[in-house]
Amino acid sequence: MHPKRSFDAARPPSPSIFKDEESLSLLPSMTTAVSYLLTIQQAAFPHSHSGQPPHGTNTCTFPLLLYTVLNEDDKNNCLVNPHTPPTSEQVFATPHTEFGHCANENYRCVSKHDYTKPFQEHTIEKPPYYIHFATYITMLIIPMLGHLRDFFGKRFAKSRFTHLMPHNGYAPLNSDFDSFVVRRLKRRIDDCYGQPITGVPGRTVLILDRYSPDYNHTQIYTGGKTRALNISSYNYLAFSQGCGSWADAVAESVRRYGVSSCGTRLDTGSNDLHAYAEALIARFLGTEDALVCSMGFATNSTFIPGLAGKGSLIISDELIHTSMRIGIRQSGAEFRIFKHNNMSSLESLLREVISQGQPKTHRAWKKILVIVEGLYSMEGTLVNLPRIVELKQKYKFYLYIDEAHSIGSLGSRGRGVTDYFNVPSDSIDVLMGTFSKGFGAAGGYIAGPKYLIDALRLRSHSGPYAEAITPSVITQVVVSMASIMGVAPVPQPTKSTIFLDSSIVAQKEGEEELAGMAPASMLPQWMKLRPSLADGSEARMRMRRLAFNCRYLHMGLKKLGFIVYGHASSPIVPLLIFNPGKLPVFARMMRARPIPIAVVVVTFPATSVETCRARLCPSASHTKEDIDIVLRACDEVGGILDMKHGSCERWGINEVCERAVELVHSV
């Protein structure tokens, strides 16, 4: 039997997660989901004696959940119920499956750069030579076998290759060479990719069980679901929840605005929510103006061509995202790259291109634009922002920073790398970010000087052609960002006014600085936040929990002997596996554990051939105990798969878990 099929056969389909009301009495009183949800309900509505939400409050109605109680066939399952149920004084108003309950203030940390220590340069720790040798041999044997199967298959099993061969006068729509990676490499491990889920991608995630009888050509769904610890989603601050002020505001926006704006921003797609969002973003980042786009990928690919063109030069890090590469190609500008996060390489390149000028004519460049990421999505490294700002002042180039993964997740105030390094935002010419990571929404933004934003509204393809962000999504952005900033309790007469036209400028009022709260006038009047969101305390707690979890997971893996890339404060923790043959085994073993863990594995072409990895993404929703579970699982599976090749001083797993706070503060 094929190994994949035997693996699937070893795991029977998971039963349904729902249970009839009749069997509730069979569960112990305080460990059942019923009593647990009632505790949450009492915490969320302490003044309601009847157990029902106050009249007129748009909140998640917990009684509806009592008739479909989560049942994981384990009454003490830590993924569903906390070990210690929350009390009414702790005010945990979210299900433990979405946001883990952790009241221990020791498990908090502030995300900021310590200037008393040198910047953590990007270092490549290499495994033993036999690991590289086995990796290259694997990448040689697998394609050879694939080409051999194609060669003989086209001659002796033509019916299976008709779509790759000319037929009825038509050329193949997708040639065998173009589809080779998909057919012969990716399909073998397709059960580890594109795994469908249901429910909220929070602390845990519900995976739809499936199996394949034909080696992943097709997938058959069993109807069962498996709840797994989610260490793979971008929901860094866990703002993407099914209950709470975020969900309530989104539901209200659908009632008021419908589900779509049904138009582009330059036509009839703009509404007051877009105006509020752009003003709030500009104030949040400390820039003059901002604009939003309905897709993070398109934010780069459609706006970069509006920043540079023929006669200009774009210099970028060698590991920037594909969206930026596409935008650079479409711009028509000359393109050069420097070594990843290597400021010496950047300075050397700047000297060369400035002295030599344009090719052939050697005329001066019209402009030079340097593009970097604040936090690199595959490496987990932070840009050396203080140094690159020094070079900017010296060589007079424009700086574009993609903060897709850093905005919201880095800095003591969640403002990204500028906040983390305490660098003034006006030192950066163009700030780009997305809403799908730190804000639990979708889309992206560009922020900068007003004259630049006004030009991009017309020059970028997104303005006249792309659908505007839907009202529900932009509402999620506004609520999430306002909860990070905090909202002034009483609106006062101000000197600034929000004009709902194509140019929204968030002006600073009096002596109020960026660190201050957003005026209530910058939110729709119908949008009401609960006190912990309005004063910013909830978001600060989440940012500190995220910082602790990131550092703990990163340093814990290193102490266990793994090779881990990236910065310790990064919410992206690349765990190096190297050999592509180990990738599916690692993912399957993590999911097959008593407490299943959902992980993402990445290989070529997203990474280099020899640096296959698992990309772990902790979030604020995880508790310290959750990170312990992940570390223990990695320790066991990594030992079996021979993944521990790091040079760091090694600790045992028990020592790592016991000294977690010490590890975090040693960074």
Side-chain angles (χ1 to χ4, degrees):
M1 182 180 291
H2 191 271
K4 166 67 175 62
R5 297 181 66 177
S6 62
F7 174 82
D8 288 327
R11 294 194 62 205
S14 300
S16 174
I17 64 166
F18 295 109
K19 186 169 194 170
D20 294 334
E21 184 183 9
E22 298 176 357
S23 59
L24 294 180
S25 59
L26 301 178
L27 300 180
S29 59
M30 277 306 294
T31 58
T32 64
V34 174
S35 58
Y36 161 61
L37 290 175
L38 285 174
T39 304
I40 294 178
Q41 182 182 346
Q42 293 169 5
F45 311 110
H47 302 296
S48 176
H49 299 287
S50 62
Q52 297 293 333
H55 179 70
T57 303
N58 293 323
T59 55
C60 179
T61 308
F62 286 110
L64 294 179
L65 298 177
L66 302 184
Y67 296 95
T68 54
V69 178
L70 289 173
N71 171 32
E72 308 297 330
D73 289 340
D74 183 358
K75 293 172 287 193
N76 297 315
N77 192 338
C78 65
L79 294 185
V80 180
N81 303 322
H83 293 294
T84 304
T87 65
S88 58
E89 289 78 13
Q90 291 176 316
V91 193
F92 289 125
T94 55
H96 191 55
T97 55
E98 294 185 15
F99 192 84
H101 301 154
C102 176
N104 192 334
E105 290 297 325
N106 291 325
Y107 303 146
R108 308 285 191 270
C109 181
V110 177
S111 174
K112 65 179 180 179
H113 179 60
D114 185 358
Y115 277 95
T116 63
K117 300 178 181 179
F119 177 79
Q120 180 182 337
E121 297 289 346
H122 177 61
T123 56
I124 301 294
E125 192 172 357
K126 297 184 178 180
Y129 284 113
Y130 78 88
I131 295 294
H132 278 310
F133 180 76
T135 299
Y136 284 116
I137 288 295
T138 301
M139 293 303 294
L140 177 65
I141 292 176
I142 293 177
M144 286 179 58
L145 293 176
H147 285 298
L148 283 174
R149 295 190 66 180
D150 282 357
F151 178 81
F152 288 106
K154 290 179 181 179
R155 287 156 179 80
F156 301 105
K158 294 183 179 181
S159 60
R160 298 183 181 180
F161 292 85
T162 53
H163 63 291
L164 299 175
M165 302 170 64
H167 62 285
N168 298 330
Y170 289 95
L173 192 60
N174 192 11
S175 69
D176 57 348
F177 182 80
D178 293 337
S179 63
F180 181 82
V181 172
V182 175
R183 293 184 296 107
R184 296 303 183 193
L185 301 180
K186 179 179 177 295
R187 183 174 293 163
R188 293 295 175 179
I189 57 176
D190 252 354
D191 59 306
C192 302
Y193 292 103
Q195 179 66 64
I197 66 171
T198 184
V200 176
R203 171 179 166 267
T204 66
V205 64
L206 272 176
I207 300 174
L208 301 182
D209 293 335
R210 60 181 182 173
Y211 70 95
S212 175
D214 51 7
Y215 310 109
N216 290 330
H217 282 267
T218 58
Q219 298 285 347
I220 298 176
Y221 293 89
T222 66
K225 303 177 181 69
T226 298
R227 184 171 294 282
L229 187 63
N230 182 17
I231 201 75
S232 57
S233 296
Y234 292 145
N235 193 11
Y236 295 144
L237 294 179
F239 284 152
S240 178
Q241 294 183 183
C243 301
S245 293
W246 300 278
D248 298 340
V250 169
E252 179 65 14
S253 70
V254 172
R255 189 184 70 81
R256 290 173 176 266
Y257 297 89
V259 296
S260 175
S261 296
C262 298
T264 68
R265 291 298 307 279
L266 293 186
D267 294 332
T268 59
S270 291
N271 59 37
D272 58 337
L273 291 177
H274 296 100
Y276 283 117
E278 291 176 342
L280 199 63
I281 292 167
R283 189 181 189 88
F284 181 72
L285 298 173
T287 60
E288 292 182 1
D289 204 354
L291 60 88
V292 296
C293 178
S294 57
M295 182 180 178
F297 190 99
T299 306
N300 278 323
S301 61
T302 63
F303 285 111
I304 289 178
L307 296 172
K310 187 176 181 181
S312 301
L313 173 67
I314 297 179
I315 300 175
S316 80
D317 189 283
E318 64 179 344
L319 296 182
I320 60 171
H321 194 263
T322 303
S323 59
M324 285 175 277
R325 295 181 182 275
I326 292 177
I328 292 170
R329 290 172 189 158
Q330 293 177 346
S331 70
E334 293 290 329
F335 180 40
R336 301 288 295 274
I337 63 173
F338 62 93
K339 294 180 181 179
H340 177 53
N341 223 17
N342 189 319
M343 296 300 104
S344 297
S345 174
L346 173 59
E347 184 170 19
S348 176
L349 180 58
L350 283 168
R351 289 179 176 178
E352 175 190 343
V353 297
I354 292 174
S355 63
Q356 295 299 317
Q358 298 184 40
K360 298 182 180 179
T361 64
H362 297 287
R363 293 178 179 176
W365 300 100
K366 292 181 178 179
K367 71 180 80 169
I368 297 178
L369 177 66
V370 174
I371 297 179
V372 294
E373 292 187 36
L375 172 61
Y376 289 85
S377 59
M378 284 296 172
E379 306 301 312
T381 50
L382 295 185
V383 63
N384 189 347
L385 188 60
R387 177 58 179 152
I388 206 169
V389 169
E390 291 179 8
L391 294 178
K392 179 181 185 302
Q393 296 171 348
K394 181 178 180 180
Y395 293 101
K396 310 303 180 185
F397 56 81
Y398 292 106
L399 181 58
Y400 180 109
I401 297 184
D402 178 341
E403 293 215 72
H405 289 269
S406 55
I407 193 68
S409 62
L410 288 178
S412 59
R413 299 174 298 135
R415 266 69 167 182
V417 289
T418 57
D419 185 18
Y420 182 85
F421 289 106
N422 196 26
V423 172
S425 58
D426 56 9
S427 303
I428 317 301
D429 299 290
V430 184
L431 286 167
M432 176 271 173
T434 63
F435 304 128
S436 55
K437 283 80 176 178
F439 302 101
Y445 67 83
I446 292 283
K450 182 181 183 304
Y451 69 86
L452 176 64
I453 300 302
D454 287 342
L456 290 178
R457 292 183 194 277
L458 296 175
R459 296 186 61 185
S460 109
H461 295 155
S462 294
Y465 302 119
E467 194 79 12
I469 300 182
T470 60
S472 57
V473 173
I474 202 67
T475 298
Q476 171 73 10
V477 172
V478 172
V479 176
S480 299
M481 193 168 292
S483 65
I484 295 176
M485 299 174 68
V487 181
V490 179
Q492 299 292 336
T494 60
K495 299 179 181 180
S496 65
T497 305
I498 295 181
F499 297 96
L500 304 181
D501 58 12
S502 62
S503 176
I504 304 299
V505 182
Q507 302 175 6
K508 296 181 179 179
E509 302 166 357
E511 300 177 355
E512 190 172 358
E513 299 178 353
L514 178 63
M517 294 182 171
S521 60
M522 300 191 76
L523 299 181
Q525 293 184 357
W526 56 265
M527 188 178 291
K528 306 298 181 184
L529 305 181
R530 70 170 187 257
S532 62
L533 294 186
D535 62 15
S537 59
E538 172 80 11
R540 286 193 296 271
M541 178 273 291
R542 293 180 180 233
M543 289 186 286
R544 291 168 182 170
R545 280 183 59 169
L546 173 64
F548 178 91
N549 292 340
C550 294
R551 293 189 180 191
Y552 178 33
L553 181 58
H554 180 98
M555 295 304 299
L557 289 172
K558 296 194 74 170
K559 287 297 184 182
L560 291 175
F562 294 97
I563 295 179
V564 181
Y565 283 177
H567 196 278
S569 298
S570 165
I572 297 171
V573 183
L575 173 60
L576 273 292
I577 298 178
F578 297 105
N579 195 315
K582 296 179 181 179
L583 287 180
V585 181
F586 179 82
R588 292 164 185 164
M589 290 183 71
M590 294 292 279
R591 184 180 170 185
R593 294 184 61 80
I595 298 179
I597 302 175
V599 299
V600 169
V601 290
V602 187
T603 184
F604 180 83
T607 67
S608 58
V609 173
E610 72 278 5
T611 58
C612 301
R613 66 199 63 178
R615 186 174 62 174
L616 309 180
C617 296
S619 76
S621 64
H622 293 117
T623 64
K624 191 263 183 185
E625 290 74 19
D626 294 336
I627 306 300
D628 290 343
I629 292 172
V630 175
L631 290 174
R632 291 184 184 277
C634 289
D635 181 58
E636 181 179 335
V637 175
I640 296 173
L641 298 182
D642 188 24
M643 293 167 50
K644 299 182 180 181
H645 304 291
S647 58
C648 182
E649 176 191 3
R650 296 196 184 185
W651 293 0
I653 181 61
N654 292 330
E655 184 178 5
V656 169
C657 295
E658 291 169 1
R659 301 172 63 180
V661 177
E662 177 186 342
L663 264 181
V664 167
H665 293 289
S666 67
V667 178

